[in-house]
Amino acid sequence: MKIAIPNKGRLQTPTIQFLNSVGIKPTANDDRALMVPTSWDGVQLVTIRTEDIPNIVEAGAAELGITGLDYVMESGADVEELIKLDFGRSRIVLAVPQAWNIDDPEEIKGEIRIATKYFNLATRYLERKGIRAKLVKISGAAEIMPSLGAADAIIDVTSTGTTLKLHGLKPIDTVAESYALVIGNKDWMRSEEADRINLVLTMMKGALNARGKKMIFMNVDDNSLKNVISSLPAMLAPAVSRLSGTEAWEVVTVADEDDLPEVIAKAKTAGARDIVVVNIEKVIK
């Protein structure tokens, strides 16, 4: 089976890091390679432009793809949105020169020129807002276009707004929200690779479920067991097992990393000792 991933851009590195956490690791380092074998037998990566991934998956050239929701919406590709990922959060915004001194698209007077690579998204937005504009379709950086005199404003993606500010622009409206996601061909469940695809999706969800979670092991004496268990968080309930030849128990639970200091402090106060904290790779539900 094939998974289409970005060959460059803001989603490339976090996508590779995510696949590594799943256990799908590229086994070739040639940046020119379009088909990359992985540590999983029978799973290949297809490295292509992020914006082309929805169409590639729709056509069945790859069973799965990792791309941005903005590109799925822009392409109009008929694909299945399978997993929302925890990276790549951004906004598609209408940005105008700071010198315009306006803060709302309703304040725009007359027809303007807008540079964008999101031609379809921009067209729908402008129609919805009733803004008269001529779209200047581009494939590169939009931020420079007003400075060059090629456009008056832009519709483009932003994460922090820093790049817009550096180019003398400011966002005045959000066209769409975006994030990274796993998409699939609509017929993937009828594919010969359905079992393998389902396993990949299960492991992807497992890696996401494990993000920010830690497993905690501790030893607890008989007389402290009830108090320790009542102090602990758990996914369902803490696991408890008798330590051989002792009047003590091993207690195992899972906690969010952000809550770890408080969890450990409460457990120690309740009587836990020999506390060990370890990373969790995957949580399969």
Side-chain angles (χ1 to χ4, degrees):
M1 65 163 289
K2 300 178 183 67
I3 304 174
I5 66 169
N7 62 354
K8 59 182 179 179
R10 61 189 175 88
L11 294 183
Q12 183 190 40
T13 297
T15 293
I16 294 295
Q17 291 172 341
F18 171 65
L19 289 174
N20 283 338
S21 73
V22 174
I24 301 174
K25 302 177 181 180
T27 56
N29 296 318
D30 190 345
D31 292 337
R32 298 167 297 177
L34 301 180
M35 301 282 289
V36 181
T38 74
S39 54
W40 275 35
D41 183 42
V43 176
Q44 291 181 307
L45 303 180
V46 183
T47 60
I48 54 178
R49 295 196 316 163
T50 314
E51 54 266 43
D52 291 336
I53 290 175
N55 291 321
I56 291 295
V57 172
E58 180 187 35
E63 287 83 1
L64 299 177
I66 297 178
T67 186
L69 177 62
D70 51 341
Y71 291 119
V72 176
M73 293 187 292
E74 171 65 17
S75 69
D78 187 20
V79 295
E80 190 171 347
E81 298 177 16
L82 297 171
I83 304 175
K84 180 180 178 179
L85 300 175
D86 59 354
F87 59 87
R89 298 202 69 84
S90 59
R91 294 184 300 147
I92 313 302
V93 299
L94 169 62
V96 302
Q98 295 174 4
W100 280 19
N101 196 31
I102 66 172
D103 297 302
D104 192 288
E106 292 183 0
E107 299 178 60
I108 296 175
K109 305 300 181 183
E111 184 176 81
I112 62 172
R113 298 168 301 157
I114 299 177
T116 187
K117 61 185 174 184
Y118 296 103
F119 189 86
N120 296 322
L121 273 175
T123 298
R124 294 193 291 269
Y125 168 78
L126 295 171
E127 290 175 352
R128 188 167 68 248
K129 291 289 185 175
I131 299 172
R132 292 191 294 122
K134 177 182 178 182
L135 291 179
V136 179
K137 191 172 183 179
I138 59 170
S139 58
E143 298 90 349
I144 194 67
M145 294 300 155
S147 298
L148 293 176
D152 303 305
I154 68 170
I155 289 179
D156 201 26
V157 65
T158 183
S159 297
T160 65
T162 302
T163 303
L164 293 176
K165 190 173 182 180
L166 286 173
H167 288 84
L169 301 172
K170 64 177 182 179
I172 61 170
D173 199 15
T174 298
V175 176
E177 302 279 350
S178 186
Y179 47 81
L181 76 166
V182 180
I183 59 174
N185 180 274
K186 286 280 186 156
D187 296 323
W188 75 265
M189 292 187 71
R190 292 188 291 274
S191 164
E192 293 180 358
E193 298 284 354
D195 289 343
R196 195 191 304 270
I197 296 168
N198 194 50
L199 178 59
V200 168
L201 293 173
T202 298
M203 299 301 280
M204 285 180 170
K205 292 174 184 176
L208 285 176
N209 291 336
R211 296 277 181 98
K213 287 185 167 53
K214 299 290 183 180
M215 182 169 286
I216 309 170
F217 298 82
M218 60 191 74
N219 293 334
V220 183
D221 293 329
D222 263 339
N223 57 3
S224 300
L225 184 62
K226 184 177 179 181
N227 288 339
V228 169
I229 289 177
S230 65
S231 75
L232 295 176
M235 297 179 68
L236 183 58
V240 179
S241 57
R242 171 74 74 176
L243 294 174
S244 177
T246 72
E247 296 299 318
W249 303 80
E250 181 185 55
V251 178
V252 183
T253 193
V254 174
D256 290 334
E257 187 172 13
D258 291 344
D259 299 332
L260 205 53
E262 182 180 357
V263 170
I264 291 175
K266 286 183 176 179
K268 282 182 63 65
T269 299
R273 55 188 171 86
D274 307 326
I275 299 173
V276 177
V277 179
V278 298
N279 293 326
I280 300 176
E281 286 192 3
K282 295 174 185 68
V283 176
I284 309 298
K285 296 184 177 181

